[in-house]
Amino acid sequence: MPGTVYDPDTDDVVQAELAAAAREADLREAARIAARADELQALRELGTLEQTEPRDGDEAVRDELTRRAGGDVQSDVDAWLAHALAAHLGHYRDSAARQAAASLLSPPVLAHAALLAELARLVPGVAVD
């Protein structure tokens, strides 16, 4: 219509394309989480989980592992994440990632990490390990 201004927010084709792109991004993220969950599960089964460092997004992977396998895996992964958080390993080297962990990890994991960090602080020369 002459004199009207085009608004992509009201364009059904544009909105459909945006929605499809968002769904595709969600699917890619779900696939990334599933692949990392497979990797961490394999490392756990090999007894080498503690030798790997956490990556950005592993908090969501923890949730996926818990959904898949339940409490045994959750306790192992929780302990691994708590240790990494306390020792500032992996992406937890970044203070912003440690701050974000407060909203991404469960209170027991955060408490475990805080205890490990405090023990390391109280006993000079003792590592978080």
Side-chain angles (χ1 to χ4, degrees):
M1 197 171 174
T4 61
V5 176
Y6 173 73
D7 182 4
D9 290 339
T10 61
D11 187 325
D12 292 340
V13 173
V14 170
Q15 294 307 308
E17 288 176 1
L18 290 172
R23 283 190 303 275
E24 187 175 314
D26 290 345
L27 289 172
R28 279 193 308 273
E29 179 63 6
R32 185 199 64 78
I33 289 170
R36 179 66 171 162
D38 292 343
E39 179 183 354
L40 293 181
Q41 179 62 30
L43 290 169
R44 179 186 170 273
E45 289 169 2
L46 292 170
T48 58
L49 179 61
E50 298 78 22
Q51 296 172 13
T52 192
E53 292 188 350
R55 299 179 191 160
D56 185 37
D58 277 353
E59 298 85 4
V61 174
R62 173 207 177 264
D63 296 341
E64 173 64 14
L65 284 169
T66 300
R67 185 190 64 74
R68 285 183 188 181
D72 291 340
V73 171
Q74 179 181 348
S75 64
D76 291 349
V77 173
D78 283 356
W80 171 69
L81 285 170
H83 172 259
L85 183 58
H88 301 182
L89 299 176
H91 78 292
Y92 294 130
R93 284 184 187 94
D94 179 42
S95 63
R98 291 191 305 275
Q99 290 175 354
S103 65
L104 298 172
L105 294 172
S106 67
V109 174
L110 297 172
H112 186 176
L115 284 171
L116 289 172
E118 188 63 16
L119 285 171
R121 187 188 71 75
L122 290 172
V123 183
V126 172
V128 173
D129 297 335

